[in-house]
């Protein structure tokens, strides 16, 4: 009998890659989507006929109970959140409702409806914020530097609390930045690769960015969803850092991305104070040793390969190439 999985945030970058992975493993996959006046199923359009989509909302506990009763999942992946860090400053309360209290509502629904289900919570490297040590591990103290990160810290610890209080198989994956051609255009990596493609195609002349010295540990989303799945296959629930263990600056990302298109980044990139954060997170780099040892997980796509993949996809998209 095939396993059943429920993915919240199924229409996002990670949700679409995770749905692909689970379907390839023979799962029945249900996705929870919010009711909206306009639907955005672009990332899962190629999977629509193989997914069961159900309406639910992290703000509405009764809708969560109903979705769980309808699906009775073996595995639950909570990927839904207010996920764009800059927005969390302009909408801090709503960010807390979705990204913090929304986790509690879902965990409580799991406790009531399907306490034997295995639960994955999407934690974030943003929780480390003003980092206490380099690289960061599962034991590094959190120092969140945005309303989003503060909410993610709450979501992380409420997952630990429900595991320890109610015996749920509930894990948090502390995922460092992970990108892909499906990344939203508002994120800096996709903003860069889309900008490169526009300049290459003659649709733009320059690209304005914020802090070029900001460093991140960037990996490929397709690799990272595999780690999520592996966490729920273990005999014991535990939390893991998922990262490449390498750090690169926004400037490096620009250099490689523009070079991929045969362009000189310095001739096109300018900094704009509008894109600076009120409180910057300067140097995130994860230590994935625990995940490597316990899960047998290692990333397959390296940094240069990731940047190239994203640039190629955006150039193809703007060229109107088939499959773009």
């Amino acid at each position: 009998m095939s396993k059943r999985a429920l993915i919240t945030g199924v229409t996002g970058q990670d949700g679409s890659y995770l749905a692909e992975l689970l379907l390839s493993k023979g799962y029945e996959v249900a996705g929870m989507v919010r009711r909206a006046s306009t639907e955005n199923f672009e990332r899962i359009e190629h999977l629509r006929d193989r997914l069961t989509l159900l309406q639910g909302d992290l703000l509405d506990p009764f809708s969560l109970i109903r979705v769980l009763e309808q699906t009775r999942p073996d595995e639950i992946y909570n990927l839904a959140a207010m996920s764009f860090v800059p927005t969390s400053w302009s909408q801090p309360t709503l960010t807390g409702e979705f990204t913090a209290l929304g986790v509690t509502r879902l965990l409580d629904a799991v406790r009531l409806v399907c306490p034997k289900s295995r639960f994955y919570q999407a934690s974030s490297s943003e929780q480390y914020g003003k980092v206490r040590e380099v690289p960061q591990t599962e034991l590094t103290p959190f120092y969140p530097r945005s309303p989003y990160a503060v909410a993610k810290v709450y979501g992380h610890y409420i997952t630990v609390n429900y595991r320890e209080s109610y015996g749920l198989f509930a894990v948090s994956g502390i995922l460092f930045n992970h990108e892909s051609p499906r990344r939203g255009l508002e994120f800096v990596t996709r903003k860069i690769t889309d900008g490169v493609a526009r300049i290459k195609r003659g649709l733009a002349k320059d690209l304005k960015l914020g802090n070029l010295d900001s460093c991140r540990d960037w990996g490929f989303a397709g690799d990272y969803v595999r780690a999520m799945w592996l966490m729920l296959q273990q005999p014991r629930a535990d939390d893991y850092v998922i990262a490449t263990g390498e750090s690169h600056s926004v400037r490096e990302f620009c250099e490689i991305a523009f070079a991929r298109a045969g362009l000189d980044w310095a001739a096109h990139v300018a900094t704009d104070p509008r894109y600076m954060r009120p409180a910057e997170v300067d140097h995130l780099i994860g230590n994935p040793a625990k995940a490597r040892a316990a899960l047998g997980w290692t990333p397959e796509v390296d940094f240069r390969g990731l940047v190239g993949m994203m640039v190629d996809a955006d150039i193809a998209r703007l060229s109107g190439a088939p499959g773009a």
Side-chain angles (χ1 to χ4, degrees):
M1 186 174 171
S2 59
K3 282 187 177 181
R4 290 190 298 274
L6 171 67
I7 304 171
T8 73
V10 71
T11 60
Q13 169 189 256
D14 292 7
S16 65
Y17 280 110
L18 179 62
E20 283 178 353
L21 176 73
L22 296 177
L23 288 168
S24 75
K25 293 182 179 297
Y27 280 65
E28 294 175 24
V29 180
M32 190 180 87
V33 295
R34 295 180 69 208
R35 175 74 182 91
S37 55
T38 57
E39 295 181 335
N40 182 15
F41 295 148
E42 181 183 345
R43 295 184 183 94
I44 57 168
E45 202 57 59
H46 61 299
L47 306 171
R48 280 288 293 277
D49 60 342
R50 301 168 64 196
L51 298 173
T52 301
L53 298 181
L54 301 167
Q55 287 188 4
D57 196 315
L58 290 177
L59 302 186
D60 179 3
F62 298 108
S63 73
L64 301 177
I65 288 170
R66 188 170 61 249
V67 167
L68 291 175
E69 286 176 340
Q70 287 176 290
T71 55
R72 297 286 170 178
D74 299 292
E75 297 172 6
I76 300 157
Y77 297 87
N78 183 35
L79 309 185
M82 181 76 83
S83 63
F84 186 48
V85 175
T87 300
S88 73
W89 273 288
S90 59
Q91 296 184 307
T93 306
L94 189 61
T95 298
E97 286 288 350
F98 276 113
T99 307
L101 291 178
V103 186
T104 313
R105 295 185 189 102
L106 185 53
L107 281 166
D108 220 44
V110 171
R111 179 178 69 86
L112 294 170
V113 176
C114 49
K116 298 298 183 188
S117 299
R118 296 189 163 204
F119 179 90
Y120 172 85
Q121 166 60 18
S123 286
S124 167
S125 60
E126 288 282 334
Q127 293 165 202
Y128 294 117
K130 191 173 182 179
V131 298
R132 307 292 186 88
E133 63 181 2
V134 178
Q136 293 88 51
T137 74
E138 292 80 5
L139 300 178
T140 302
F142 297 135
Y143 192 145
R145 298 267 280 171
S146 66
Y148 166 81
V150 172
K152 277 292 187 183
V153 170
Y154 177 100
H156 178 91
Y157 279 126
I158 200 67
T159 301
V160 173
N161 184 257
Y162 268 65
R163 177 170 75 220
E164 296 178 350
S165 300
Y166 300 112
L168 297 184
F169 192 106
V171 308
S172 280
I174 308 171
L175 271 57
F176 280 65
N177 294 63
H178 45 290
E179 318 297 318
S180 76
R182 299 179 194 171
R183 191 55 141 155
L185 287 165
E186 68 272 23
F187 291 87
V188 67
T189 51
R190 186 72 196 291
K191 183 178 177 181
I192 292 168
T193 61
D194 176 70
V196 167
R198 289 183 180 282
I199 293 167
K200 181 69 174 177
R201 298 290 299 157
L203 301 172
K205 291 184 178 178
D206 56 17
L207 176 64
K208 291 183 170 60
L209 299 172
N211 182 7
L212 298 180
D213 296 318
S214 183
C215 292
R216 292 291 185 273
D217 183 329
W218 278 300
F220 172 52
D223 285 335
Y224 284 43
V225 300
R226 181 164 39 86
M228 298 176 188
W229 176 77
L230 286 167
M231 288 180 215
L232 295 193
Q233 313 313 310
Q234 302 308 304
R236 187 173 67 87
D238 206 352
D239 307 321
Y240 299 89
V241 162
I242 304 300
T244 68
E246 295 180 9
S247 184
H248 300 275
S249 68
V250 173
R251 182 178 280 100
E252 273 183 88
F253 198 106
C254 286
E255 289 172 357
I256 295 171
F258 276 86
R260 179 79 175 194
L263 300 169
D264 175 10
W265 77 277
H268 299 283
V269 174
T271 55
D272 188 326
R274 288 180 300 169
Y275 301 118
M276 298 290 187
R277 292 184 180 187
E280 184 56 83
V281 175
D282 294 311
H283 193 201
L284 292 177
I285 175 170
N287 180 351
K290 180 179 174 182
R292 194 162 48 236
L295 306 177
W297 178 85
T298 53
E300 294 176 0
V301 178
D302 65 10
F303 179 67
R304 191 170 289 274
L306 171 66
V307 178
M309 172 200 306
M310 293 176 67
V311 170
D312 292 351
D314 274 326
I315 289 175
R317 176 177 58 87
L318 292 179
S319 302

